[in-house]
Amino acid sequence: MKKILMVLTSVSELGDTGEKTGYNVAEAAHPWKVFKDSGHFVDFASIKGGQPPRDEVDEGDPIQVAFTQDETTRAGLYNTARVDVVDPAQYDAIYLVGGHGTMWDFPDNEGLQNLIASVYNSGGLVGAVCHGPAGLLNVELDNGFRLVEGRDVAAFTNDEEVAAGKDKVIPFFLADRLEEQGARHVSAGVFEEKVAVDGRLVTGQNPASAAGVAKEMEKLFAEVIHQEKAEEQHDAEVVRAGKDAEKAARKEADADAGH
């Protein structure tokens, strides 16, 4: 079992428009189901802590409904930890949930940057979808490079911002900012699924890509678990071989003593 931390926005309003926003429920619910069905533990954190705001729930989506009705999930979302007090050593992966609100509070948040860098530097996975990759901006690793530098990254596109009618509201175009920081922004058509995997960084373009991001993270987890089991088996074989050698030596010593 692996532990995944989902990080959510604390922004409830789009700029000064008065339009309500929050984390995108589909982008949290569908990965949650993938991780949960695989037996992993999902925890929640947000920029300011407490109960994060959310976008509308699609009542026609049974996965979103299950997510919002699950007792453990409801308890976790009722009082999330602030990102700057989370212990990154507790988690094998961090997943940044999208929603337009992330464009205001994910970038340049030192607590979030430190959390992401710590998880990645320790060999963990980093996932993000839609506007969630805004949290990847300015994340610097131990090697001195930015996390997104020279990597394929999928995120909400400029054309999708226009199609959503948010191009005049957002503080910047996410795809452009990622490219400014050295990322290779990869994309499919407007609102089509696109998932990019580059090392231990997995990103998705839009809500349709959320489950795909989790599935690709699950594949990476499976590789890690397989490697861990192989290492455990090797260690066990070494220990057993050592014990067999000790037994053989004792037998030989006993045989010599009998003469």
Side-chain angles (χ1 to χ4, degrees):
M1 183 181 79
K2 298 295 184 181
K3 288 186 70 175
I4 301 109
L5 180 70
M6 285 192 174
V7 179
L8 313 164
T9 182
S10 294
V11 171
S12 60
E13 185 179 320
L14 290 176
D16 56 3
T17 64
E19 184 179 348
K20 296 299 182 185
T21 189
Y23 71 87
N24 184 288
V25 179
E27 293 170 15
H30 285 262
W32 164 81
K33 179 168 173 39
V34 172
F35 296 138
K36 183 169 171 285
D37 288 351
S38 298
H40 300 314
F41 177 79
V42 177
D43 206 355
F44 301 94
S46 61
I47 299 301
K48 292 183 177 179
Q51 188 168 15
R54 73 185 188 197
D55 282 339
E56 292 297 316
V57 178
D58 180 359
E59 300 292 343
D61 181 353
I63 295 177
Q64 290 188 48
V65 173
F67 175 80
T68 57
Q69 293 181 351
D70 181 82
E71 289 187 10
T72 302
T73 299
R74 285 163 68 99
L77 289 169
Y78 181 73
N79 189 23
T80 62
R82 289 197 329 269
V83 289
D84 57 358
V85 300
V86 171
D87 178 7
Q90 298 296 312
Y91 297 97
D92 301 290
I94 184 169
Y95 170 81
L96 308 180
V97 180
H100 270 96
T102 62
M103 295 287 282
W104 281 267
D105 66 350
F106 270 24
D108 302 317
N109 182 281
E110 189 174 346
L112 181 57
Q113 289 175 348
N114 291 339
L115 189 57
I116 294 168
S118 294
V119 170
Y120 196 89
N121 286 328
S122 63
L125 310 184
V126 174
V129 71
C130 200
H131 292 91
L136 304 177
L137 296 171
N138 296 317
V139 173
E140 190 171 303
L141 303 176
D142 283 347
N143 60 16
F145 289 96
R146 289 193 177 108
L147 175 57
V148 300
E149 196 168 341
R151 295 182 185 275
D152 289 341
V153 178
F156 210 61
T157 68
N158 295 0
D159 288 343
E160 286 172 326
E161 293 290 10
V162 173
K166 298 295 189 293
D167 53 305
K168 301 294 194 297
V169 177
I170 53 173
F172 57 88
F173 282 107
L174 180 54
D176 291 350
R177 187 66 60 86
L178 286 165
E179 289 186 337
E180 287 169 10
Q181 296 207 354
R184 293 186 296 269
H185 180 252
V186 296
S187 64
V190 173
F191 302 126
E192 292 179 1
E193 180 181 359
K194 178 66 178 179
V195 175
V197 181
D198 198 320
R200 288 179 284 110
L201 176 64
V202 185
T203 50
Q205 180 174 322
N206 45 36
S209 312
V213 169
K215 289 174 183 176
E216 290 298 332
M217 291 177 71
E218 183 56 36
K219 288 180 187 176
L220 293 174
F221 274 142
E223 292 176 9
V224 170
I225 291 170
H226 178 75
Q227 183 178 347
E228 288 173 347
K229 287 183 176 178
E231 290 172 354
E232 287 175 5
Q233 183 177 350
H234 173 72
D235 292 344
E237 289 173 353
V238 169
V239 170
R240 187 169 57 199
K243 288 183 177 179
D244 289 346
E246 288 176 9
K247 286 181 183 178
R250 279 199 300 270
K251 279 187 179 180
E252 187 175 339
D254 290 344
D256 289 342
H259 292 300

